[in-house]
C-alpha cells in the first residue's frame, strides 16, 4: 500500500497535532514557546491548549503543558491492534537471554520503522532506541529486513517521501546502493546494520513472514565491542532467523 497522498487537509487539526508533537519532542512546552515555534498568536495557541486540556489530552503544570496519560490509553489500543504484538514476548525473552543482547520487535507503519517491543538481557549494554520510537527504515537492520520484502514500488515511494538521510558515514544514502543492499538481504535471508544508526552499534535482523507478506522483523542489537565478529557474522543470523520463524509460526497458528 502506498503512502497516503495529502488531500484536503483540515488546518486546525494539523495545527493541533503539530502542538502535540512539539510538546512530545520537547517533553513539555509553554505558551510563548509554542507561539514562537508555530508562528501563531498567543491567543490562538491558548485556544488550542485550552481545548486539548479540556479534552484531557494535556495537563498544565504551572504554565508548562505536558501530554496526558490519555495518550497511553490510545497507544495501548494501537499496539494491541498490531497482529504480531502479543505473539513475540516469549521469543524475545529467549532471544535476549541466548545472545546477551537487546532483542527487538519492529513493524512498519506509514513508511517508518516502529519499535514495538524490546527485551534487554541482564548482560546487555542498552543501545540507542526505545519502544514506540519511529525512525527511517533504511538504517537499522530491522528496517532493511522489512524493506527487502516490500515491492520495489513501495520502497521507492518511501524513499521519495522520507529520503535517505544519514546518521553516520556508514549509513546508506544512495537509492541504488539501497536496492543492492536489499537484494543481498533477500538472498541471504537476514539484514545487518553496522555503525549505520550510531557509531559502535550493530544489529542483525530477520523478517517475519506469513503467506508472502512481511509482518515485521526481529532483531538483536549491541555494541560492536560486545559481540565477537565471527559470532556476529556466522552464528547470530541463524539464531535471529529462528526467532523470526517462531513468531511467524505462532501467527499462522492463530490466523491460519
Amino acid at each position: 500500500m502506498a503512502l497516503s497522498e495529502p488531500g484536503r487537509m483540515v488546518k486546525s487539526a494539523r495545527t493541533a497535532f503539530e502542538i502535540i508533537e512539539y510538546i512530545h519532542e520537547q517533553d513539555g512546552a509553554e505558551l510563548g514557546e509554542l507561539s514562537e515555534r508555530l508562528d501563531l498568536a498567543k491567543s490562538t495557541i491558548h485556544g488550542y491548549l485550552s481545548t486539548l486540556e479540556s479534552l484531557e489530552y494535556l495537563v498544565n503544570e504551572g504554565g508548562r503543558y505536558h501530554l496526558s496519560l490519555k495518550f497511553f490509553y490510545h497507544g495501548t489500543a494501537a499496539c494491541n491492534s498490531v497482529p504480531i504484538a502479543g505473539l513475540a514476548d516469549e521469543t524475545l525473552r529467549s532471544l535476549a537471554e541466548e545472545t546477551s543482547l537487546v532483542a527487538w520487535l519492529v513493524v512498519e507503519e506509514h513508511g517508518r520503522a516502529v519499535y514495538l517491543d524490546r527485551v534487554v538481557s541482564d548482560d546487555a549494554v542498552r543501545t540507542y532506541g526505545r519502544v514506540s520510537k519511529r525512525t527511517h527504515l533504511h538504517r537499522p537492520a530491522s528496517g532493511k529486513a522489512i524493506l527487502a520484502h516490500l515491492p520495489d514500488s513501495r520502497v521507492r515511494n518511501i524513499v521519495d517521501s522520507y529520503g535517505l538521510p544519514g546518521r553516520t558515514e556508514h549509513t546508506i544514502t544512495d537509492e541504488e546502493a539501497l536496492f543492492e543492499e536489499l537484494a543481498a538481504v533477500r538472498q541471504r535471508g537476514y539484514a545487518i546494520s553496522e555503525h549505520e544508526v550510531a557509531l559502535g552499534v550493530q544489529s542483525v535482523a530477520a523478517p517475519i513472514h506469513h503467506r508472502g507478506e512481511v509482518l515485521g522483523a526481529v532483531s538483536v542489537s549491541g555494541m560492536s565491542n560486545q559481540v565477537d565478529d565471527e559470532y556476529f557474522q556466522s552464528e547470530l543470523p541463524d539464531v535471529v532467523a529462528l526467532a523470526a520463524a517462531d513468531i511467524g509460526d505462532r501467527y499462522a497458528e492463530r490466523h491460519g
Side-chain angles (χ1 to χ4, degrees):
M1 182 176 65
L3 294 178
S4 300
E5 293 294 332
R8 181 175 179 273
M9 300 186 72
V10 179
K11 186 176 180 180
S12 58
R14 183 186 182 100
T15 300
F17 280 102
E18 286 177 346
I19 290 171
I20 288 168
E21 289 182 355
Y22 183 79
I23 290 173
H24 180 156
E25 292 167 0
Q26 301 300 316
D27 194 23
E30 297 179 353
L31 172 62
E33 180 183 351
L34 286 161
S35 175
E36 181 177 346
R37 172 70 177 183
L38 300 179
D39 194 25
L40 292 171
K42 287 185 179 181
S43 58
T44 301
I45 295 294
H46 185 267
Y48 280 102
L49 294 174
S50 297
T51 300
L52 290 168
E53 184 181 8
S54 68
L55 293 172
E56 300 179 1
Y57 285 100
L58 295 180
V59 292
N60 182 355
E61 298 179 351
R64 189 168 183 83
Y65 292 85
H66 298 269
L67 303 187
S68 79
L69 289 174
K70 197 167 186 179
F71 285 100
F72 179 64
Y73 170 75
H74 290 307
T76 300
C79 184
N80 290 339
S81 71
V82 178
I84 60 174
L87 304 176
D89 294 352
E90 183 179 334
T91 302
L92 291 180
R93 282 195 297 271
S94 297
L95 183 60
E97 290 174 4
E98 181 177 354
T99 63
S100 296
L101 298 170
V102 182
W104 293 95
L105 178 66
V106 179
V107 297
E108 177 268 330
E109 184 183 68
H110 293 298
R112 296 282 197 176
V114 183
Y115 292 78
L116 199 66
D117 200 0
R118 175 186 72 172
V119 175
V120 183
S121 77
D122 293 337
D123 299 324
V125 176
R126 292 176 184 267
T127 56
Y128 181 77
R130 64 181 185 278
V131 172
S132 81
K133 179 177 174 60
R134 305 172 72 86
T135 189
H136 290 81
L137 285 159
H138 70 286
R139 294 191 293 235
S142 53
K144 293 182 190 179
I146 293 171
L147 280 176
H149 296 86
L150 295 177
D152 285 354
S153 59
R154 168 72 170 163
V155 176
R156 290 192 179 92
N157 190 273
I158 291 171
V159 173
D160 288 344
S161 297
Y162 301 114
L164 296 171
R167 282 191 64 87
T168 76
E169 60 186 284
H170 302 281
T171 308
I172 294 174
T173 57
D174 176 75
E175 185 172 333
E176 184 178 348
L178 175 65
F179 275 97
E180 290 177 359
E181 174 76 358
L182 298 183
V185 171
R186 285 191 294 273
Q187 183 176 21
R188 64 182 178 237
Y190 64 91
I192 61 174
S193 176
E194 297 184 271
H195 315 291
E196 295 176 56
V197 174
L199 294 177
V201 175
Q202 56 188 20
S203 59
V204 177
I208 303 168
H209 292 291
H210 180 67
R211 294 183 177 178
E213 179 185 2
V214 61
L215 304 175
V218 173
S219 72
V220 289
S221 62
M223 303 303 295
S224 56
N225 60 5
Q226 191 183 1
V227 186
D228 178 77
D229 286 343
E230 183 176 351
Y231 176 65
F232 180 79
Q233 295 287 345
S234 62
E235 296 183 45
L236 195 54
D238 290 337
V239 175
V240 176
L242 286 173
D246 181 61
I247 297 172
D249 289 343
R250 289 172 187 264
Y251 181 88
E253 289 174 5
R254 179 172 294 186
H255 297 275

